[in-house]
Amino acid sequence: MSNDEFRAAMSRLASGVVLVTAQEPSLDPDDPSAPDVEDVGMTATAFMSVSLDPPLVLVSLREGSRMDELLEEQDLWAVSVLSESQRHIAGRFAMKGRLSDRLLFADIPYTRGEYTDAPLVGGALAVLECRTEQRVPAGDHTLVIGRVLTAGVPSAEGGPLTYFRGRYRQLG
């Protein structure tokens, strides 16, 4: 089986889309005008509930990605379950090779998590704050299992944003 055959088969599995967020130390600590911390975000489609007792979730991160390296250094992070009207947010944070996410967050309404201080996207279908319980190497990814510290349902309007056959989609 080739990578292309595997990718094609797995693209037939619809998944929800989330934004994983956290904070990292300043990218330029020698610059007095630079903020002390930077918000970081990453679009993920490999996210799932693992356990109700204790409440655990799992996100799959590409090994060596910025978020993988950040969550190896610190254990607090958050998740916003994106709604069908938030496709632009998913696309924005799926871009590779960016240095700073500051501009990406600029026009997105969000609140800060009580425990993580990470951005929680306004209008998301659900928001979670997590603390890493376990990191599991899995091929070219790292499975990060997090204990859910808080969970909320700030918006009950609209359907979920999904990812199917290589594109963002809406149900229905």
Side-chain angles (χ1 to χ4, degrees):
M1 173 191 62
S2 72
N3 287 348
D4 288 340
E5 289 169 325
F6 180 64
R7 186 177 291 117
M10 294 312 298
S11 76
R12 284 2 186 229
L13 175 64
S15 58
V17 182
V18 302
L19 182 67
V20 179
T21 57
Q23 289 191 322
E24 71 177 349
S26 176
L27 297 176
D28 193 359
D30 297 329
D31 179 357
S33 66
D36 292 338
V37 293
E38 293 272 343
D39 293 325
V40 178
M42 182 202 85
T43 301
T45 57
F47 176 78
M48 62 182 276
S49 169
V50 173
S51 169
L52 185 59
D53 187 19
L56 299 174
V57 294
L58 176 148
V59 64
S60 179
L61 306 174
R62 186 175 34 83
E63 182 182 17
S65 68
R66 184 173 177 193
M67 190 64 74
D68 180 41
E69 291 175 355
L70 176 58
L71 295 188
E72 187 172 27
E73 295 172 10
Q74 59 109 5
D75 62 356
L76 293 174
W77 44 285
V79 175
S80 298
V81 178
L82 299 180
S83 72
E84 59 195 0
S85 66
Q86 295 175 317
R87 179 185 302 210
H88 65 289
I89 295 172
R92 181 182 296 187
F93 286 92
M95 292 186 301
K96 293 179 175 60
R98 58 191 190 271
L99 294 176
S100 172
D101 288 359
R102 189 179 312 149
L103 293 176
L104 300 181
F105 281 105
D107 64 347
I108 296 172
Y110 64 85
T111 59
R112 296 230 171 250
E114 177 183 352
Y115 292 97
T116 63
D117 209 30
L120 301 170
V121 177
L125 296 178
V127 292
L128 308 161
E129 290 186 276
C130 305
R131 177 180 291 116
T132 300
E133 290 274 313
Q134 189 175 2
R135 292 174 53 88
V136 180
D140 60 0
H141 278 65
T142 303
L143 306 179
V144 179
I145 300 170
R147 180 181 293 258
V148 178
L149 305 172
T150 65
V153 183
S155 177
E157 298 194 19
L161 181 61
T162 60
Y163 193 73
F164 179 71
R165 295 184 75 177
R167 294 185 31 211
Y168 297 117
R169 311 219 184 215
Q170 296 172 253
L171 289 181

